[in-house]
Amino acid sequence: MKKSRFIIWIIVTAIFASAITYSAVQLRVIAGGDNGDPFQKLRATYDILQEGYYKDVDTDKLVEGAIKGMVESLEDPYTVYMDVEEAKSFNENISSSFEGIGAEVQESNGSIMIVSPIKGSPAEKAGIKPKDIILKVNDESMEGLSVNEAVMKIRGKKGTKVNLVVQRAGVGELNFTITRDTIPLETVYSEVIEGNIGKIQITKFSESTGEELANALSDLQNKNVEGLIIDLRQNPGGLMDQALAMSDLFLPKGKNILQVENSDGSREVYKAEDDTFIDLPTTVIIDGGTASAGEIMAAALHQSAGIPLVGEKTFGKGTIQTAQSFKDSSSVKFTTAKWLTPNGTWIHEKGIEPQVKAELPAYANLPYINPETVLKKGDSKAEVKAAQQMLQALGFSNSVEGYFDETTVQAVKEFQTQNKLKVDGNITGETTIKIMEQIQNKLKENDTQLEKAISVLKEELK
């Protein structure tokens, strides 16, 4: 009986203590009423933590946390607060070379998603694709992290390695071990193909891209090209002013480049201003990695100059951001408006459809295989199936069911013999590297989207 009373007394005491604690909190909240000032509650919370928290608090962390919370409440993946290091990283990405894997990322429904790998970057060479969701970086979950926090974990010194686990639609989880490198400043690459066609690839829109494009066009015109192909594939975008200036090069004066819709619904129309423009027959190639400024240019050239788009539907980013810095060099990047195509279409989360659809060969979408992994007879996993498909694409007949059987062993040995590698029937190290290298070379030789763009352009040249 005494024991029961003791238990009852403990329960009553606990309830009473809880009530006292709750009452005290209530009194502090009431005392911190806003009095018509929406920031009074914020200041009151700051005072409560400074005075009453059981540990010493870092004032700077409290303020930074409050700013981040304010920005994140907007639920806009393109509006972010960047601390000093993150702001530095962001500015490097726009204006200079940097060290990392070379991939544009954004937040999407709470996840970190690849917008596009940069041409020639370690990310592109490894097989990272647009819309890949980054689950882990070096075994650390990306759940709950901001884009800038994720980028700081992915970037690193040239020569160091980073392991990514990504989720790819229709494939599942994939592991990538990528060696970081210097991502170059150059964003425009030009060459003459098919004898009289100038091909220009634009990889992103940075501070120097407009000047690079003008130089490339001048060089190609000096070589007397008769038509142009503008390759905007895997271009994650960048600076809007560069997209405007570059689009202006191809449009007659007075034609719409884009429209900007402000928060009050008013619209500003940006028009071509140059008296002269490139009037060579032109075709533009786009894909799922063409985003933002890349989409501005693609839409402008198509809708205001009648230039055909070839390839696949674009990414779909139709908002404009600006960044403002604080005295300590941290900054906030925020969305200021929508951008619309010349005819007033908002392509956000919809993308731009090409007039002529063209896909790359199926082997272009095969996942990267880590050369440090050993694939051998008896194994059954996704990497085995990818390796089998690569071998099949290279002309080495074997099973493609994902089980490393005797036919696969023989195909590997034949490949190793032909490439003067150690002949053991296993896929690892130099064998893996050589397989993936030859697949990349085959893709360059069999770029079906470029081939389609050439055929469309030749029809215009007739």
Side-chain angles (χ1 to χ4, degrees), residues 173-246:
E173 290 190 14
L174 300 171
N175 282 277
F176 295 85
T177 299
I178 305 174
T179 301
R180 300 178 178 103
D181 202 347
T182 298
I183 310 305
L185 172 63
E186 188 176 6
T187 59
V188 176
Y189 302 81
S190 63
E191 60 180 316
V192 177
I193 60 175
E194 301 282 316
N196 63 348
I197 294 173
K199 175 179 175 289
I200 298 176
Q201 181 169 18
I202 304 167
T203 60
K204 65 176 180 176
F205 292 77
S206 66
E207 289 176 342
S208 63
T209 307
E211 183 180 354
E212 288 182 58
L213 176 61
N215 290 337
L217 287 168
S218 177
D219 178 60
L220 290 173
Q221 286 179 308
N222 289 337
K223 293 176 179 176
N224 299 314
V225 298
E226 296 179 10
L228 293 171
I229 290 175
I230 307 298
D231 190 348
L232 293 174
R233 291 176 294 178
Q234 307 290 293
N235 185 318
L239 300 175
M240 188 180 86
D241 64 341
Q242 296 293 305
L244 289 169
M246 292 159 66

Side-chain angles (χ1 to χ4, degrees), residues 165-462:
V165 177
V166 307
Q167 181 78 33
R168 181 172 297 170
V171 177
E173 290 190 14
L174 300 171
N175 282 277
F176 295 85
T177 299
I178 305 174
T179 301
R180 300 178 178 103
D181 202 347
T182 298
I183 310 305
L185 172 63
E186 188 176 6
T187 59
V188 176
Y189 302 81
S190 63
E191 60 180 316
V192 177
I193 60 175
E194 301 282 316
N196 63 348
I197 294 173
K199 175 179 175 289
I200 298 176
Q201 181 169 18
I202 304 167
T203 60
K204 65 176 180 176
F205 292 77
S206 66
E207 289 176 342
S208 63
T209 307
E211 183 180 354
E212 288 182 58
L213 176 61
N215 290 337
L217 287 168
S218 177
D219 178 60
L220 290 173
Q221 286 179 308
N222 289 337
K223 293 176 179 176
N224 299 314
V225 298
E226 296 179 10
L228 293 171
I229 290 175
I230 307 298
D231 190 348
L232 293 174
R233 291 176 294 178
Q234 307 290 293
N235 185 318
L239 300 175
M240 188 180 86
D241 64 341
Q242 296 293 305
L244 289 169
M246 292 159 66
S247 299
D248 200 336
L249 295 172
F250 294 87
L251 305 184
K253 187 175 182 178
K255 288 286 189 177
N256 287 2
I257 297 176
L258 87 161
Q259 301 182 43
V260 172
E261 185 175 305
N262 301 306
S263 58
D264 61 1
S266 63
R267 291 189 182 182
E268 302 170 57
V269 180
Y270 290 79
K271 297 178 179 290
E273 298 177 350
D274 286 349
D275 291 320
T276 60
F277 65 97
I278 303 295
D279 60 355
L280 291 173
T282 303
T283 300
V284 174
I285 315 178
I286 56 174
D287 68 2
T290 307
S292 188
E295 292 173 297
I296 289 175
M297 187 172 181
L301 268 58
H302 172 59
Q303 293 184 4
S304 291
I307 292 173
L309 305 179
V310 175
E312 300 172 83
K313 186 172 74 170
T314 63
F315 185 84
K317 179 182 179 293
T319 55
I320 300 168
Q321 286 72 40
T322 190
Q324 291 189 4
S325 298
F326 299 105
K327 288 183 179 180
D328 65 353
S329 294
S330 62
S331 67
V332 60
K333 178 168 71 80
F334 57 100
T335 300
T336 59
K338 300 176 181 178
W339 71 262
L340 314 176
T341 66
N343 67 11
T345 301
W346 194 36
I347 58 92
H348 195 63
E349 297 183 348
K350 299 174 185 175
I352 301 170
E353 292 282 358
Q355 285 66 61
V356 181
K357 292 188 177 182
E359 296 182 353
L360 291 174
Y363 56 80
N365 297 312
L366 292 176
Y368 169 84
I369 304 171
N370 188 344
E372 296 177 6
T373 300
V374 179
L375 303 178
K376 60 187 185 304
K377 187 175 181 180
D379 286 346
S380 180
K381 56 181 77 173
E383 289 92 339
V384 171
K385 186 170 184 177
Q388 290 172 329
Q389 290 173 308
M390 289 181 191
L391 287 166
Q392 190 90 332
L394 294 172
F396 297 91
S397 181
N398 73 107
S399 167
V400 290
E401 301 301 318
Y403 176 71
F404 205 126
D405 58 8
E406 185 58 34
T407 65
T408 305
V409 172
Q410 293 306 313
V412 173
K413 286 183 175 180
E414 185 181 345
F415 177 85
Q416 290 170 329
T417 300
Q418 193 173 109
N419 288 277
K420 299 179 180 178
L421 301 169
K422 178 183 176 182
V423 181
D424 58 9
N426 297 332
I427 301 175
T428 188
E430 290 185 5
T431 297
T432 304
I433 293 169
K434 183 62 72 172
I435 290 173
M436 291 191 295
E437 182 183 287
Q438 290 192 11
I439 280 290
Q440 288 297 317
N441 290 337
K442 184 177 177 66
L443 185 58
K444 289 177 183 177
E445 295 168 1
N446 190 28
D447 186 340
T448 48
Q449 291 175 333
L450 176 59
E451 289 170 4
K452 178 59 72 172
I454 291 170
S455 69
V456 170
L457 184 62
K458 284 183 175 179
E459 284 296 313
E460 293 185 66
L461 291 172
K462 286 182 178 178

Side-chain angles (χ1 to χ4, degrees), residues 45-86:
T45 302
Y46 172 81
D47 291 340
I48 289 169
L49 294 175
Q50 284 281 19
E51 296 169 13
Y53 191 66
Y54 81 108
K55 290 182 179 180
D56 289 338
V57 295
D58 185 322
T59 298
D60 290 339
K61 282 188 176 181
L62 286 181
V63 173
E64 297 249 324
I67 296 171
K68 285 185 177 181
M70 187 185 303
V71 170
E72 288 171 3
S73 72
L74 297 173
E75 297 183 347
D76 176 2
Y78 305 107
T79 296
V80 293
Y81 169 73
M82 297 177 280
D83 62 27
V84 176
E85 284 300 312
E86 291 168 343

